[in-house]
Amino acid sequence: MRAFRRAAAVVRKLPRPELEELARSRRLRDLPGIGESTERVIVEALRGDVPAYLARLEEEPVPEPDPAAAALRAALRGDCHSHSDWSDGGSPIEEMAAAARSLGHEYWALTDHSPRLTVAHGLDAERLRLQMELVDELNERAAPGFRVLKGIEVDILEDGGLDQDPGLLAELDLVVASVHSKLRMESPGMTARMLRAVEDPNVDILGHCTGRIVVGRGRPESTFDADAVFAACAATGTAVEVNSRPERLDPPMRLLEQAVAAGCLLAIDTDAHAPGQLEWQINGCERVARTGVDPDRVVNTWALERVQEWAGR
């Protein structure tokens, strides 16, 4: 996605006759950011064709969801975990928000990473404050019935502390706390780490709790005392995230059923890093529907005012 965006930015600056001449002479790749795939798309678009890359994607069949999952998806009013190009997402905040609204959401939480996750260009306190100001401006211009929530996906540090200033976290609408480092800690240490985070009053959602990856070479689950962690979530009103990314699908079903049995609230989130990924909520809905949990236990079936009251903001 970033490659296509870079190519589009380069092409947009060129007069069409110059662009057409570069295409005819097969010199498009002389331009910065233009590679084999982007060159092919540009040539096809200049001919007036739908690029084969796009046509192939559009032809892929979309499976029909289970009726119970579809009903749960229809009940969702928002998405509580997603990213923009301020951290490791590929799209501006405005485009992510517009995509969320087009899906029928009433609110969308912007939860870019905290500073420790340098590979994801996480936000330090200064950048987070700037982003919060931008979100306020967006909300002033937004049409009635939709709101961008100021949030963060804050790293849970090795001792269970949070990777951002507590006072600043308290100003946000929503805080997702996730483990991104030292995923292979021994179970007692990981349990203590997660418990401290869950019990922090600033934390609203425990993100992708096992850290697993289920595609490619994959990544095994982190080990922790699920009984203790889910009991703490239930006691504090911290929602357990049902991460809908196809490569995560976290927590696995046995732990999701355990969280439901423990009385935990749930948040069905996409962890989207691009506008199209906001459609992934159906993945989480299918898994949650199999547990038979009351949809009212899913926090993003709630109206905005109830979400804000639950988050204590």
Side-chain angles (χ1 to χ4, degrees), residues 34 86 118 134 211 213 217-218:
I34 307 294
W86 280 59
T118 54
L134 174 60
I213 300 293
R217 297 175 63 183

PDB file of all heavy atoms in Angstrom, residues 34 86 118 134 211 213 217-218:
ATOM      1  N   ILE A  34       8.875   4.192  -8.330  1.00  0.00           N
ATOM      2  CA  ILE A  34       8.132   3.406  -9.309  1.00  0.00           C
ATOM      3  C   ILE A  34       8.874   2.091  -9.537  1.00  0.00           C
ATOM      4  O   ILE A  34      10.033   2.088  -9.962  1.00  0.00           O
ATOM      5  CB  ILE A  34       7.979   4.142 -10.658  1.00  0.00           C
ATOM      6  CG1 ILE A  34       7.381   5.529 -10.452  1.00  0.00           C
ATOM      7  CG2 ILE A  34       7.126   3.316 -11.612  1.00  0.00           C
ATOM      8  CD1 ILE A  34       5.978   5.538  -9.942  1.00  0.00           C
ATOM      9  N   TRP A  86       0.513   8.176  11.248  1.00  0.00           N
ATOM     10  CA  TRP A  86       1.307   8.795  12.309  1.00  0.00           C
ATOM     11  C   TRP A  86       2.203   7.753  12.982  1.00  0.00           C
ATOM     12  O   TRP A  86       3.204   8.117  13.582  1.00  0.00           O
ATOM     13  CB  TRP A  86       0.399   9.447  13.351  1.00  0.00           C
ATOM     14  CG  TRP A  86      -0.118  10.793  12.935  1.00  0.00           C
ATOM     15  CD1 TRP A  86      -0.860  11.083  11.833  1.00  0.00           C
ATOM     16  CD2 TRP A  86       0.079  12.039  13.627  1.00  0.00           C
ATOM     17  NE1 TRP A  86      -1.151  12.421  11.788  1.00  0.00           N
ATOM     18  CE2 TRP A  86      -0.593  13.030  12.874  1.00  0.00           C
ATOM     19  CE3 TRP A  86       0.731  12.400  14.792  1.00  0.00           C
ATOM     20  CZ2 TRP A  86      -0.604  14.377  13.263  1.00  0.00           C
ATOM     21  CZ3 TRP A  86       0.707  13.732  15.184  1.00  0.00           C
ATOM     22  CH2 TRP A  86       0.057  14.705  14.426  1.00  0.00           C
ATOM     23  N   THR A 118       9.622   1.683  18.458  1.00  0.00           N
ATOM     24  CA  THR A 118      10.272   2.560  17.482  1.00  0.00           C
ATOM     25  C   THR A 118      10.109   2.049  16.063  1.00  0.00           C
ATOM     26  O   THR A 118      10.033   2.838  15.113  1.00  0.00           O
ATOM     27  CB  THR A 118      11.764   2.714  17.805  1.00  0.00           C
ATOM     28  OG1 THR A 118      12.361   1.405  17.913  1.00  0.00           O
ATOM     29  CG2 THR A 118      11.964   3.445  19.128  1.00  0.00           C
ATOM     30  N   LEU A 134      -5.200  17.646  16.499  1.00  0.00           N
ATOM     31  CA  LEU A 134      -5.724  17.399  15.160  1.00  0.00           C
ATOM     32  C   LEU A 134      -7.080  16.706  15.228  1.00  0.00           C
ATOM     33  O   LEU A 134      -8.008  17.050  14.480  1.00  0.00           O
ATOM     34  CB  LEU A 134      -4.733  16.568  14.355  1.00  0.00           C
ATOM     35  CG  LEU A 134      -5.212  16.108  12.968  1.00  0.00           C
ATOM     36  CD1 LEU A 134      -5.536  17.297  12.080  1.00  0.00           C
ATOM     37  CD2 LEU A 134      -4.168  15.217  12.311  1.00  0.00           C
ATOM     38  N   GLY A 211      -0.467 -12.364  21.728  1.00  0.00           N
ATOM     39  CA  GLY A 211       0.562 -11.936  20.788  1.00  0.00           C
ATOM     40  C   GLY A 211       0.830 -12.915  19.663  1.00  0.00           C
ATOM     41  O   GLY A 211       1.803 -12.774  18.923  1.00  0.00           O
ATOM     42  N   ILE A 213       0.815 -15.106  16.149  1.00  0.00           N
ATOM     43  CA  ILE A 213       0.664 -14.917  14.712  1.00  0.00           C
ATOM     44  C   ILE A 213       0.375 -16.298  14.120  1.00  0.00           C
ATOM     45  O   ILE A 213       1.100 -17.256  14.396  1.00  0.00           O
ATOM     46  CB  ILE A 213       1.936 -14.327  14.065  1.00  0.00           C
ATOM     47  CG1 ILE A 213       2.264 -12.958  14.683  1.00  0.00           C
ATOM     48  CG2 ILE A 213       1.765 -14.209  12.554  1.00  0.00           C
ATOM     49  CD1 ILE A 213       1.255 -11.872  14.378  1.00  0.00           C
ATOM     50  N   ARG A 217       5.306 -18.383   9.017  1.00  0.00           N
ATOM     51  CA  ARG A 217       6.079 -19.102  10.039  1.00  0.00           C
ATOM     52  C   ARG A 217       5.426 -18.973  11.406  1.00  0.00           C
ATOM     53  O   ARG A 217       5.699 -19.764  12.304  1.00  0.00           O
ATOM     54  CB  ARG A 217       7.507 -18.563  10.080  1.00  0.00           C
ATOM     55  CG  ARG A 217       8.266 -18.789   8.773  1.00  0.00           C
ATOM     56  CD  ARG A 217       9.634 -18.152   8.792  1.00  0.00           C
ATOM     57  NE  ARG A 217      10.496 -18.733   9.803  1.00  0.00           N
ATOM     58  CZ  ARG A 217      11.731 -18.310  10.054  1.00  0.00           C
ATOM     59  NH1 ARG A 217      12.222 -17.291   9.365  1.00  0.00           N
ATOM     60  NH2 ARG A 217      12.463 -18.889  10.973  1.00  0.00           N
ATOM     61  N   GLY A 218       4.574 -17.948  11.546  1.00  0.00           N
ATOM     62  CA  GLY A 218       3.787 -17.803  12.766  1.00  0.00           C
ATOM     63  C   GLY A 218       4.595 -17.389  13.977  1.00  0.00           C
ATOM     64  O   GLY A 218       5.815 -17.203  13.929  1.00  0.00           O
TER      65      GLY A 218
END
